């Protein structure tokens, strides 16, 4: 993690705050914050400076922002109904008859389907990144906080799931639950929580004997309160970084499941499933399978760049020489 | 005071007769024991998961055997015969017993025992993954070394970009694009499958690996045909392995190049070539072996999608075919085999690392 070695992302050291100039910038770069709120803002601002000085990370952020905007304004951006079939306009090459990226085997507009697919991708990523880290956080903090047998049993289960190839396990789960987008999400979530549990446990072990935990226990706080209100918040930031790094993997797994026909079912315009449909026409109508693949590539590239940038900006051990 | 001292000395010398030997033996064996125990626990965990998945399916396994209209007595009798009336833990024990005896059930699709099917398809996957790993190592290690030596300059950026693309491109899409370009447009490689259709079944199956079988049969036409078919899927998988191996080699090498023995070697007047490719790389070999084992394991996973794209008749293709026709016995059998190999390779690499690198003990 810390061996990334490029120290170009060192935050610009705030210059002497221009005295007297009570601008927002001076307030944000102050060495001596006067309130907890200001301290927090200064910290966030410095992180942002560090992050934004890394052009790759900013590119990633822009891609993701674009994805979100496309998903939000999808109805405005689509030129055709993504589900409307038009058999007389099958397999038109890009640009013909107003179809920007051509049409697929049922005469549906590929451009509109790719746009509509952004919503499905965000939906999958959103649900997985809410459920899996929450579950992992819970398992990890409970395991680290209570220790003993609880720890041994929970971590053994975590290790067992961690030891398996994720895609194969997800395949087996979907096979049992039945194909469908909900089950695909469930299967991906089931296979992706263990790393979060490990991270949360490691963080918990470093704070469980801290004075402030003792203090709140002396005040009569229950175990549940200590774990949820005092330990979980300490683990959140490292889990978030890991989640961003994992998002690309989630997208690729979801697309893989869709490609195998186990994720979103036709006619849903899911990118992986669209590639599977385009496979039939690969050699003669290349655009059908190519376009959704480019969309998957761009989005996972965006998440990878963003994740790398966030890690460099948030991880105090890297950079800041 | 003196009592205490003599006592403690006595204790120490008293145990000296046999204890150190046993102790050393125990210390030597401990890593093996730990490996063994964790292998067993993880394997049982794997079986617990497949057992759980097998029972979660919303189909009554008894009904699948006796049919919908069977009278209740027959239903009950079959249920008993299948052991489904016993407590879950007993059923699980029976399941483990069966799996350990190579009984993975019967495939719905081929109506043959799953284990026989798997034995038939595994060589194809093995061939593909091995070739991909060779590509990954032969190209990835030198690239990683160059990236470390020229850190911050273009070879380094190249390796970074290759890695980034590897993490972002869906493997099945890359496979399709490869087919489109190299098979469809350029005609440089063979299409999906292991051989052109008119060569099918012309080589006797000895090892199940088509390249080796063709060589054994002495038929060079078939051999070169097989090469033209395997080169694309192996390169695609090899790309992912290359990306990972190059990145890890780079970071290991950076660590080594910063050490004092490298300076010493340079001061001694050794050529830069010798310093980098013999001294530094030699020390990197140890962790690299574990990385290669890990990358091999992850190729098994990547092969599921790649084999599907290239209609490569290996384990991954077998599993996805079974999935499509809801052939649970075959899916779970394949999962057990892939999972076991994966876990085995992971533990092996961990273990190798500990054996070879004394600091990690």
């Amino acid at each position: 993690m810390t061996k990334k070695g490029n120290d170009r992302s060192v935050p610009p050291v705030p210059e002497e705050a221009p005295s007297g100039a009570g601008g927002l910038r001076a307030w944000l770069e102050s060495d001596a914050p006067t309130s907890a709120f200001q301290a927090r803002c200064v910290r966030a601002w410095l992180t942002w400076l560090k992050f934004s000085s890394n052009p790759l990370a900013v590119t990633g952020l822009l891609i993701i922002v674009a994805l979100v905007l496309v998903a939000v304004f999808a109805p405005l951006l689509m030129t055709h109904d993504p589900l409307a079939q038009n058999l007389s306009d099958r397999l038109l090459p890009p640009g013909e008859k107003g179809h920007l990226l051509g049409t697929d085997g049922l005469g549906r507009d590929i451009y509109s389907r790719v746009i509509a697919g952004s919503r499905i991708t965000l939906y999958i990523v959103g649900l997985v990144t809410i459920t899996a880290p929450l579950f992992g956080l819970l398992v990890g903090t409970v395991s680290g906080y209570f220790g003993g047998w609880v720890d041994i049993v929970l971590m053994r289960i975590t290790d067992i799931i961690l030891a398996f190839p994720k895609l194969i396990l997800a395949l087996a789960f979907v096979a049992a639950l039945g194909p469908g987008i909900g089950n695909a999400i469930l299967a991906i979530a089931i296979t992706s929580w263990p790393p979060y549990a490990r991270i949360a446990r490691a963080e918990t072990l470093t704070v469980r004997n801290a004075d402030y935990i003792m203090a709140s226990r002396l005040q009569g706080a229950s175990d549940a309160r200590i774990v949820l209100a005092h330990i979980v918040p300490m683990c959140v930031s490292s889990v978030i970084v890991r989640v961003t790094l994992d998002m690309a993997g989630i997208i690729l797994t979801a697309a893989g499941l869709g490609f195998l026909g186990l994720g979103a079912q036709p006619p849903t315009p899911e990118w992986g499933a669209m590639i599977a449909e385009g496979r039939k026409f690969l050699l003669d109508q290349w655009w059908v399978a190519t376009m959704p693949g480019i969309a998957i590539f761009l989005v996972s590239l965006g998440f990878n760049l963003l994740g790398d940038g966030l890690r460099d900006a948030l991880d105090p051990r890297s950079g800041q020489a | 005071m003196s009592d205490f001292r003599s006592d403690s000395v006595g204790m120490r010398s008293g145990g000296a007769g046999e204890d150190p030997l046993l102790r050393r033996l125990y210390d030597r064996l401990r890593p093996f024991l730990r490996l063994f125990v964790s292998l067993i626990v993880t394997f049982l965990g794997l079986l617990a998961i497949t057992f759980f998945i097998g029972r979660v399916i919303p189909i009554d396994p008894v009904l699948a055997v006796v049919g919908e209209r069977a009278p209740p007595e027959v239903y009950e009798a079959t249920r008993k015969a299948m052991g489904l009336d016993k407590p879950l833990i007993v059923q699980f024990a029976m399941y483990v017993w069966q799996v350990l005896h190579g009984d993975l059930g019967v495939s719905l699709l081929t109506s043959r025992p799953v284990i026989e099917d798997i034995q038939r398809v595994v060589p194809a996957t093995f061939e593909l993954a091995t070739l991909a790993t060779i590509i990954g190592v032969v190209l990835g290690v030198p690239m990683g070394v160059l990236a470390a030596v020229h850190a911050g300059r273009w070879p380094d950026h190249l390796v970074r970009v290759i890695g980034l693309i590897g993490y972002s491109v869906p493997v099945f899409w890359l496979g399709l694009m490869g087919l489109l370009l190299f098979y469809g447009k350029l005609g440089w490689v063979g299409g999906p499958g292991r051989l052109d259709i008119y060569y099918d079944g012309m080589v006797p199956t000895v090892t199940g690996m088509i390249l080796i079988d063709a060589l054994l049969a002495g038929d060079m036409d078939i051999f070169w045909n097989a090469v033209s078919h395997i080169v694309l899927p192996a390169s695609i998988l090899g790309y992912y392995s290359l990306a990972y191996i190059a990145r890890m080699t780079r970071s290991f090498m950076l660590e080594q190049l910063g050490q004092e023995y490298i300076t010493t070697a340079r001061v001694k007047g050794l050529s830069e070539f010798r310093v980098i490719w013999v001294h530094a790389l030699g020390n990197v070999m140890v962790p690299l072996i574990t990385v290669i084992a890990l990358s091999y394991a992850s190729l098994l996973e990547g092969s599921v999608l790649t084999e599907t794209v290239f209609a490569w008749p290996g384990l991954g293709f077998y599993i996805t075919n079974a999935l499509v026709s809801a052939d649970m016995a075959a899916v779970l059998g394949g999962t057990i085999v892939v999972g076991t190999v994966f876990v085995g390779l992971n533990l092996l690499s961990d273990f190798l690392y500990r054996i070879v690198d004394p600091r990690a003990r």
Side-chain angles (χ1 to χ4, degrees):
Chain A
M1 281 256 291
T2 52
K3 284 184 205 115
K4 288 212 52 167
N6 61 350
D7 295 346
R8 280 167 298 143
S9 49
V10 173
V13 179
E15 311 266 315
E16 287 276 317
S19 52
L24 181 63
R25 212 184 155 93
W27 183 77
L28 276 174
E29 290 177 359
S30 152
D31 293 351
T34 50
S35 66
F37 174 69
Q38 189 186 356
R40 221 172 272 175
C41 288
V42 168
R43 197 172 148 65
W45 173 245
L46 290 182
T47 306
W48 165 249
L49 281 184
K50 191 171 172 184
F51 179 83
S52 60
S53 66
N54 178 352
L56 286 178
V58 175
T59 314
L61 184 65
L62 287 180
I63 295 178
I64 302 312
V65 170
L67 170 74
V68 173
L69 289 180
V70 165
V72 169
F73 296 109
L76 297 175
L77 291 167
M78 287 190 285
T79 53
H80 295 74
D81 179 349
L83 300 181
Q85 305 182 1
N86 183 354
L87 292 179
S88 60
D89 282 348
R90 292 177 72 231
L91 301 167
L92 290 178
E96 220 158 279
K97 287 198 189 172
H99 295 289
L100 209 53
L101 301 178
T103 57
D104 67 5
L106 295 171
R108 294 171 295 199
D109 181 52
I110 295 179
Y111 165 75
S112 303
R113 284 176 70 74
V114 169
I115 299 281
S118 65
R119 290 193 159 187
I120 296 166
T121 299
L122 270 188
Y123 173 70
I124 295 174
V125 172
L127 272 184
V128 173
T129 49
I130 289 170
T131 48
L134 274 185
F135 188 67
L137 262 178
L138 204 65
V139 170
T141 46
V142 165
S143 182
Y145 178 72
F146 290 104
W149 275 106
V150 178
D151 187 30
I152 291 174
V153 171
L154 286 179
M155 278 303 119
R156 210 57 246 186
I157 295 174
T158 309
D159 282 346
I160 286 172
I161 297 185
L162 206 56
F164 289 120
K166 261 167 96 169
L167 182 67
I168 305 270
L169 199 57
L171 282 180
F173 270 111
V174 180
L177 297 165
I181 196 163
N183 289 339
I185 292 171
L186 187 61
I188 298 174
I190 290 174
T191 52
S192 52
W193 62 268
Y196 310 125
R198 294 222 68 116
I199 292 171
R201 175 174 176 273
E203 295 274 332
T204 308
L205 288 182
T206 62
V207 299
R208 69 185 263 196
N209 292 325
D211 290 343
Y212 80 94
I213 300 286
M214 289 298 168
S216 57
R217 190 173 299 145
L218 283 177
Q219 284 176 332
S222 65
D223 285 335
R225 191 182 166 81
I226 292 176
V227 168
L228 292 176
H230 298 293
I231 291 183
V232 166
M234 302 303 288
C235 311
V236 166
S237 82
S238 33
V239 168
I240 285 180
V241 171
R242 178 65 200 240
V243 169
T244 340
L245 284 170
D246 283 353
M247 279 179 175
I250 293 168
I251 289 174
L252 293 182
T253 310
L257 289 176
F259 177 74
L260 293 174
L262 299 169
Q265 296 299 299
T268 318
E270 196 270 327
W271 293 337
M274 285 168 72
I275 295 178
E277 285 166 33
R279 204 180 151 192
K280 283 175 271 183
F281 318 109
L282 180 69
L283 296 183
D284 297 311
Q285 285 87 23
W286 54 269
W287 55 90
V288 185
T290 307
M291 301 307 176
I294 294 176
I296 299 175
F297 170 60
L298 279 181
V299 170
S300 42
L301 185 69
F303 277 118
N304 272 329
L305 292 174
L306 180 71
D308 275 354
L310 269 187
R311 184 185 52 192
D312 289 349
L314 288 178
D315 186 355
R317 278 156 299 191
S318 76
Q320 281 186 11
Chain B
M1 201 53 194
S2 66
D3 255 347
F4 171 67
R5 194 189 289 163
S6 67
D7 207 30
S8 77
V9 168
M11 257 167 64
R12 212 184 291 156
S13 60
E18 48 179 19
D19 228 5
L21 201 71
L22 271 181
R23 180 125 207 112
R24 270 172 57 193
L25 194 68
Y26 175 71
D27 279 348
R28 275 284 157 84
L29 285 180
R30 206 166 60 170
F32 290 94
L33 282 173
R34 290 189 74 160
L35 178 81
F36 192 62
V37 168
S38 88
L39 194 66
I40 289 176
V41 171
T42 316
F43 184 68
L44 282 180
L46 165 62
L47 292 186
I49 292 174
T50 53
F51 177 72
F52 172 74
I53 291 176
R55 285 188 61 94
V56 165
I57 327 171
I59 301 169
D60 187 339
V62 184
L63 279 186
V65 174
V66 299
E68 299 251 345
R69 273 167 294 177
E73 312 85 75
V74 177
Y75 181 92
E76 269 311 311
T78 318
R79 199 173 126 85
K80 270 216 173 88
M82 291 171 75
L84 292 172
D85 56 335
K86 301 207 170 61
L88 218 51
I89 189 79
V90 178
Q91 287 186 41
F92 179 61
M94 284 163 55
Y95 177 71
V96 172
W97 184 253
Q98 283 171 359
V99 170
L100 286 180
H101 285 76
D103 178 7
L104 298 175
V106 175
S107 160
L108 278 178
L109 206 58
T110 62
S111 53
R112 268 186 303 219
V114 171
I115 190 83
E116 280 179 22
D117 280 350
I118 288 179
Q119 278 166 355
R120 193 166 40 82
V121 298
V122 153
T125 299
F126 178 75
E127 189 175 26
L128 189 62
T130 307
L131 207 58
T133 304
I134 292 174
I135 293 176
V137 173
V138 167
L139 295 177
V141 172
M143 282 173 76
V145 171
L146 287 178
V149 173
H150 303 283
R153 290 200 295 278
W154 69 265
D156 193 16
H157 296 310
L158 183 71
V159 166
R160 211 169 161 191
V161 168
I162 287 178
L164 211 55
I165 293 178
Y167 285 120
S168 308
V169 177
V171 58
F172 53 95
W173 184 72
L174 198 61
L176 287 175
M177 291 300 111
L179 270 179
L180 174 62
L181 183 63
F182 295 109
Y183 171 64
K185 302 283 178 214
L186 299 171
W188 289 355
V189 300
R194 301 172 85 185
L195 285 173
D196 282 352
I197 197 126
Y198 45 87
Y199 284 130
D200 241 359
M202 278 176 59
V203 267
T205 307
V206 183
T207 58
M209 286 172 274
I210 203 86
L211 292 177
I212 293 175
D213 282 356
L215 280 183
L216 286 179
D219 193 329
M220 290 317 281
D221 278 354
I222 295 186
F223 176 75
W224 288 113
N225 189 261
V227 168
S228 81
H229 279 266
I230 202 174
V231 71
L232 190 58
S235 307
I236 302 260
L237 272 181
Y239 177 79
Y240 288 85
S241 149
L242 178 159
Y244 178 59
I245 290 176
R247 203 171 54 101
M248 298 311 283
T249 309
R250 176 190 176 275
S251 76
F252 293 147
M253 279 296 283
L254 276 180
E255 198 180 323
Q256 292 297 326
L257 289 176
Q259 303 222 348
E260 288 178 350
Y261 76 90
I262 293 289
T263 318
T264 312
R266 282 184 178 140
V267 168
K268 265 184 1 184
L270 290 184
S271 70
E272 195 61 19
F273 180 85
R274 230 187 126 70
V275 170
I276 290 164
W277 295 92
V278 178
H279 286 234
L281 189 62
N283 279 321
V284 163
M285 277 306 167
V286 172
L288 214 53
I289 289 172
T290 71
V291 164
I292 293 169
L294 286 180
S295 111
Y296 197 91
S298 68
L299 282 186
L300 286 179
E301 190 174 18
S303 74
V304 172
L305 288 163
T306 314
E307 287 181 3
T308 310
V309 168
F310 288 95
W312 193 262
L315 191 53
F317 192 54
Y318 179 73
I319 293 177
T320 50
N321 257 346
L323 273 172
V324 173
S325 40
D327 184 354
M328 276 318 280
V331 172
L332 293 180
T335 309
I336 290 175
V337 172
V338 176
T340 309
V341 175
F342 196 84
V343 169
L345 281 172
N346 267 316
L347 285 176
L348 186 75
S349 74
D350 187 38
F351 181 65
L352 270 181
Y353 193 78
R354 257 183 244 179
I355 289 269
V356 192
D357 188 347
R359 282 166 301 178
R361 266 180 212 151

